[in-house]
Amino acid sequence: MAYTIADVSGMSGVSLDELSQYVDAGLLTPAFVGSDPSDVYYEKPELLKLQQILFCKELGVEQEEIGSMLQEDPYDMIQMMQQQRIQMLEKALRLHGLIQTLDKTISHLQGEQEIEESALYEGFVEPKQRNMLLQQPSSRADSMHRPKLDEMDSDKPRPNQSPDNTLQSVQLKTKRDYLDSQEKIDGINRDLHQAIEDGLSADSPKVQQIISRHLEWVKGYYTPTAEIYRELGNLYVEHQNFRQMYDGYHPKLAEFLRDAMIIKAEQELS
């Protein structure tokens, strides 16, 4: 089915001006043009490409960089969308961490509980990046109290290792961390899918063992309270992007995961 640019604007929520910008930038090409050159039409492949553009923008990709990321082959599209799925999940987890920091700060200002100074900034910086920042000397005076590079055998570059190679190894480690995270959450979702197929309930010991893995995965980003963990479960059900992701595993997975998370929150986080 073909759609006019006004139809596409209406269904996507993207303004006509913004759609025209994508066309002018070569990111979005109409499927065909009508008898009047101003009448352009879009079909399913173009709608999918627009979705890719919007996902890239949601993840903070600059418009001039989007073109190189757009994929035509279905397999490549699936690969990119799986990566986007994980990135959006990590973004949601970070937002939940910020909510937790807000709650702690409000409680502190109301005189209900103390808050550690370092906890004031949880959620603003990812845990791995925070650790790297804490390990960097902040000044010349600070560096005087740190071991010299030649005394740090574990961090000392090898004779044939340049600074560029050291940076590359850090980048590769980050990539491995990303792939490990993706593999872990995918395994959790697949195991929950199997649990549903086996007729297990959300409170069964086997399912709760799987949810323990999910909780540990979340703790890789921040330590949730019972309320935050329950809210995350509700987000999985209510947010369209999460819902679509979990439906890809099993149409009942979002609710099943939420119910199991609520039980875990009551048992271990309350």
Side-chain angles (χ1 to χ4, degrees):
M1 183 174 178
Y3 300 90
T4 66
I5 191 169
D7 293 331
V8 175
S9 177
M11 73 173 72
S12 67
V14 179
S15 70
L16 293 173
D17 287 342
E18 189 172 349
L19 287 173
S20 297
Q21 289 177 16
Y22 297 152
V23 173
D24 294 341
L27 299 177
L28 188 65
T29 304
F32 61 92
V33 180
S35 55
D36 186 329
S38 63
D39 294 334
V40 295
Y41 296 89
Y42 300 86
E43 295 181 331
K44 195 65 165 286
E46 290 73 43
L47 299 183
L48 285 169
K49 181 166 287 187
L50 175 60
Q51 186 198 61
Q52 289 186 58
I53 294 170
L54 296 179
F55 272 129
C56 287
K57 291 196 66 179
E58 186 69 26
L59 293 169
V61 180
E62 297 294 334
Q63 183 166 315
E64 56 268 22
E65 299 175 1
I66 292 178
S68 62
M69 301 181 66
L70 299 180
Q71 304 293 339
E72 299 285 351
D73 183 82
Y75 176 80
D76 292 333
M77 288 179 65
I78 291 171
Q79 293 294 105
M80 186 185 75
M81 288 180 176
Q82 287 176 337
Q83 293 176 0
Q84 289 174 332
R85 181 189 71 183
I86 297 298
Q87 286 177 285
M88 296 194 76
L89 179 57
E90 292 174 343
K91 183 178 179 180
L93 291 173
R94 180 173 174 271
L95 288 175
H96 274 273
L98 288 171
I99 292 171
Q100 185 178 10
T101 298
L102 275 173
D103 290 342
K104 289 180 179 178
T105 305
I106 291 171
S107 179
H108 170 70
L109 293 175
Q110 291 175 336
E112 297 173 354
Q113 68 174 27
E114 287 298 319
I115 183 171
E116 295 290 336
E117 284 80 358
S118 59
L120 291 170
Y121 311 106
E122 289 179 353
F124 289 103
V125 182
E126 295 182 5
K128 293 183 181 66
Q129 184 181 356
R130 180 186 295 277
N131 291 337
M132 290 178 67
L133 290 172
L134 289 174
Q135 292 169 6
Q136 295 176 1
S138 57
S139 66
R140 179 178 178 85
D142 180 62
S143 64
M144 293 173 62
H145 298 283
R146 295 176 179 270
K148 295 181 180 179
L149 284 176
D150 59 1
E151 296 173 354
M152 299 170 63
D153 294 336
S154 60
D155 293 333
K156 185 193 303 182
R158 303 295 183 266
N160 61 345
Q161 185 179 21
S162 67
D164 288 342
N165 287 336
T166 304
L167 177 59
Q168 185 180 28
S169 68
V170 173
Q171 293 172 336
L172 289 174
K173 184 178 186 301
T174 303
K175 182 177 181 180
R176 284 197 299 271
D177 290 340
Y178 167 80
L179 294 175
D180 288 344
S181 175
Q182 185 177 27
E183 183 178 356
K184 285 178 182 177
I185 195 62
D186 182 64
I188 290 167
N189 292 335
R190 291 182 183 279
D191 288 347
L192 289 171
H193 169 216
Q194 188 59 52
I196 295 172
E197 291 295 309
D198 293 342
L200 299 180
S201 62
D203 62 351
S204 69
K206 185 173 181 179
V207 170
Q208 285 302 304
Q209 287 178 358
I210 300 172
I211 297 303
S212 292
R213 289 160 49 201
H214 180 271
L215 178 58
E216 288 304 310
W217 180 77
V218 172
K219 287 181 179 179
Y221 301 93
Y222 68 97
T223 301
T225 62
E227 180 182 3
I228 291 294
Y229 197 57
R230 285 193 299 266
E231 288 181 0
L232 181 59
N234 289 327
L235 180 68
Y236 291 157
V237 174
E238 297 167 4
H239 195 286
Q240 182 181 1
N241 292 336
F242 282 121
R243 186 57 186 258
Q244 290 176 348
M245 179 191 74
Y246 287 115
D247 283 352
Y249 287 94
H250 193 285
K252 296 181 180 179
L253 180 55
E255 287 87 357
F256 188 78
L257 174 57
R258 175 201 58 194
D259 294 345
M261 289 173 65
I262 290 174
I263 294 169
K264 178 64 68 178
E266 295 298 325
Q267 290 178 346
E268 296 190 15
L269 299 177
S270 297

